[in-house]
Amino acid sequence: MTSATPARPPGRPRSGVNAAVFAATLSTVHELGYAPATVDRIAAAAGVAKTTIYRRWPSKGALVVDCLLDAFGPVPLEGAGRAEVMSSALRWIAAKIGEPGVGDAFAGVFSDAVSDPALREILSTRLQDPYRIALQEALGEPEDRVLFFIDVVVGTLLHRMGMTGEPMVEADVAALAEMVLSYFGDDPGPA
Amino acid sequence: MTSATPARPPGRPRSGVNAAVFAATLSTVHELGYAPATVDRIAAAAGVAKTTIYRRWPSKGALVVDCLLDAFGPVPLEGAGRAEVMSSALRWIAAKIGEPGVGDAFAGVFSDAVSDPALREILSTRLQDPYRIALQEALGEPEDRVLFFIDVVVGTLLHRMGMTGEPMVEADVAALAEMVLSYFGDDPGPA
DNA sequence: CCATTTACGCTACCGTCAGTATCGATACCT
DNA sequence: AGGTATCGATACTGACGGTAGCGTAAATGG
C-alpha cells in the first residue's frame, strides 16, 4: 500500500492559507465584533482574495463558525462521577472562553446567531453536536436539564462579555461554576 | 396660569403614530429577528413612511431599544431585605422576558448589541441606567456582584432563547431563580 | 514540452439594507 | 392669508454579502 496519501486529486493543490484565514478571522472578529468584521477585511488581513474565501466556505457565518471550532477544540470529558465530569467540562469551557481572542469572537458569533436564523442553523448543527450532546451523553442526564446548565455558564459568560465588552473577571467565573455545581447536587470531588 | 399645556410649538403637530410604530417594531422583530426586521418592513407594518421613523429616531437601534423600554416598563423594586428585593426583581424580569413578544424581541436586540458597538452603546446607556443601577442602589451591593447576578438571569434567558428559538420553560426559569437566590445568601422570604 | 485540471487573484457586478435629501402636500397657529 | 413644522413619496448614496468571468499559477500525466 503506497497510498498513505489517499490519491491526491488532479489539478493545482490548495495553498495552505486556511490557518492564515482562521487567524485573520479570529483577530478581526475579536477586534471589531462580528458585523463590522467584513469578509473584505478578513481577506485583506489574511493576504487572500475574497473569492478564495468564498471558494472554501459557503458563507461568512460558516467561516467564522469553522474558525471558532478550530480555535476551541474538543471539550475534554474526564472524571469519575457526573459531578466530576460536569465540573471539569464547565471549568474548561469557562477557561477557553476567557482566552483573549476566542471568547470575544465567540460572543460576537453567538450574538449574531440569535437574530440570524441562517447562522443559528449553522451553530446548532455544528456546535451542539460535538459539545452539548457529548456532554449530555457523558453526564447521562435528561437533555433539557443538561442543556440548561450549560446555557447557564456559556450564556452568562457571553452575555456579560457582550454587555461590558470585556471578559468576566476570574472571581465571577469561579462563583458561577460553584453556583451551578452546588445546584447540580453532587460535590465536585478532589482534583 | 392657562399654560397647563406648555406652550405648544408652532407648526403641524406630530401625529400619534408612535404607538403604532412600537407595535409594528415589536411584532416584526419578534417574528423575524433583529437583522431581518428592516426599517422598511417596520414602516410598512406601521402604515408609516420610512422617513417618518428616521425623523423621530436617529437609527434602527435607537428605535428598537426605545420600543423595548416602552414594552418592558420599569422594574418594580419592592420588599424589605436585600433578598426580597432581589427575589421580586428577578422573578419580575424573568416573567417579563417570558412574555410572547417582549422576550423574543429582547433576545434579538441583546444579541445584536454584542456584535454592534453602536447598539451596545445605546443599550448600555439607556438600559443599564434605569434597571441595573436602580437595582444596584436598592440592593446596596457592590456593582460587580449585583450586575453579575442580574447577568446570570438575563443572560441565561436570552442565550437559551437564542439557541433554541423558544422561550425557556417555566421550570427552568424557576430553577434558575432558585439557584441564584440560594447562592445570594438570604432566603427569599414569604410572598 | 505540452495538454489537462484545479486553485488563485483580480475586477466587476448584483441585491439588500441603513440612512439621507428633496419636494409637494397637509395640519395647526396667529 | 401667511408662517411653521410634519408627513408621504421618491430617489439616492454607501457599505456589505455573495457571484461571475477572466487571466494566470501550480500541480499532474503523457
Side-chain angles (χ1 to χ4, degrees):
Chain A
M1 300 285 207
T2 62
S3 61
T5 55
R8 165 177 1 200
R12 172 177 176 175
R14 286 190 160 177
S15 62
V17 293
N18 268 21
V21 173
F22 278 158
T25 302
L26 196 62
S27 69
T28 306
V29 174
H30 165 51
E31 290 169 10
L32 305 177
Y34 180 82
T38 66
V39 178
D40 292 274
R41 257 193 275 259
I42 293 174
V48 162
K50 182 175 140 187
T51 45
T52 297
I53 290 185
Y54 278 102
R55 285 193 193 99
R56 303 194 180 196
W57 293 274
S59 68
K60 174 184 173 183
L63 161 66
V64 181
V65 169
D66 264 19
C67 167
L68 289 178
L69 289 178
D70 176 77
F72 210 79
V75 175
L77 301 175
E78 300 161 349
R82 290 197 322 237
E84 232 176 294
V85 175
M86 189 76 178
S87 172
S88 66
L90 286 185
R91 291 178 193 281
W92 190 88
I93 291 175
K96 203 71 186 180
I97 286 183
E99 285 183 9
V102 182
D104 297 280
F106 243 97
V109 177
F110 265 100
S111 78
D112 207 77
V114 181
S115 57
D116 185 349
L119 188 53
R120 187 151 74 203
E121 185 68 21
I122 298 176
L123 264 179
S124 55
T125 55
R126 307 215 44 179
L127 202 58
Q128 281 192 353
D129 284 359
Y131 303 128
R132 302 176 136 210
I133 294 185
L135 259 177
Q136 170 187 331
E137 289 180 353
L139 292 169
E141 285 275 340
E143 173 179 331
D144 279 354
R145 193 175 170 86
V146 174
L147 291 184
F148 169 66
F149 285 110
I150 297 176
D151 284 340
V152 170
V153 174
V154 178
T156 302
L157 290 171
L158 297 178
H159 173 67
R160 178 64 179 277
M161 288 164 56
M163 290 305 294
T164 65
E166 295 179 3
M168 292 178 62
V169 295
E170 206 167 324
D172 279 346
V173 175
L176 180 60
E178 177 189 338
M179 186 171 65
V180 172
L181 291 173
S182 78
Y183 184 83
F184 195 72
D186 246 328
D187 60 351
Chain B
M1 298 288 205
T2 62
S3 62
T5 56
R8 173 191 336 215
R12 172 177 178 174
R14 285 190 160 176
S15 62
V17 293
N18 268 21
V21 173
F22 277 159
T25 302
L26 195 61
S27 69
T28 306
V29 173
H30 165 51
E31 290 169 9
L32 306 177
Y34 180 82
T38 67
V39 178
D40 292 272
R41 257 193 276 257
I42 293 174
V48 161
K50 182 174 136 186
T51 46
T52 297
I53 290 184
Y54 277 104
R55 284 190 194 100
R56 303 193 181 195
W57 293 275
S59 68
K60 174 185 172 182
L63 161 66
V64 181
V65 169
D66 265 19
C67 166
L68 289 178
L69 290 178
D70 176 76
F72 210 78
V75 175
L77 301 175
E78 300 162 348
R82 290 197 321 236
E84 231 176 294
V85 176
M86 189 76 179
S87 172
S88 66
L90 285 185
R91 292 178 192 282
W92 190 88
I93 291 174
K96 201 74 186 180
I97 285 182
E99 285 182 10
V102 181
D104 297 279
F106 243 98
V109 176
F110 265 99
S111 79
D112 207 77
V114 181
S115 59
D116 185 349
L119 188 54
R120 187 151 75 203
E121 184 67 21
I122 298 176
L123 263 179
S124 56
T125 55
R126 305 215 46 177
L127 202 58
Q128 280 191 351
D129 284 359
Y131 303 127
R132 302 174 136 212
I133 294 185
L135 260 177
Q136 170 187 332
E137 289 179 353
L139 293 169
E141 285 274 342
E143 174 180 328
D144 278 353
R145 191 175 171 85
V146 174
L147 291 184
F148 168 67
F149 285 111
I150 296 176
D151 284 339
V152 171
V153 175
V154 178
T156 302
L157 290 172
L158 297 178
H159 173 66
R160 177 63 179 276
M161 288 165 56
M163 289 306 293
T164 66
E166 297 178 3
M168 290 178 63
V169 296
E170 207 167 323
D172 279 346
V173 175
L176 179 60
E178 177 189 339
M179 183 172 66
V180 172
L181 291 173
S182 78
Y183 185 83
F184 195 72
D186 245 329
D187 60 352

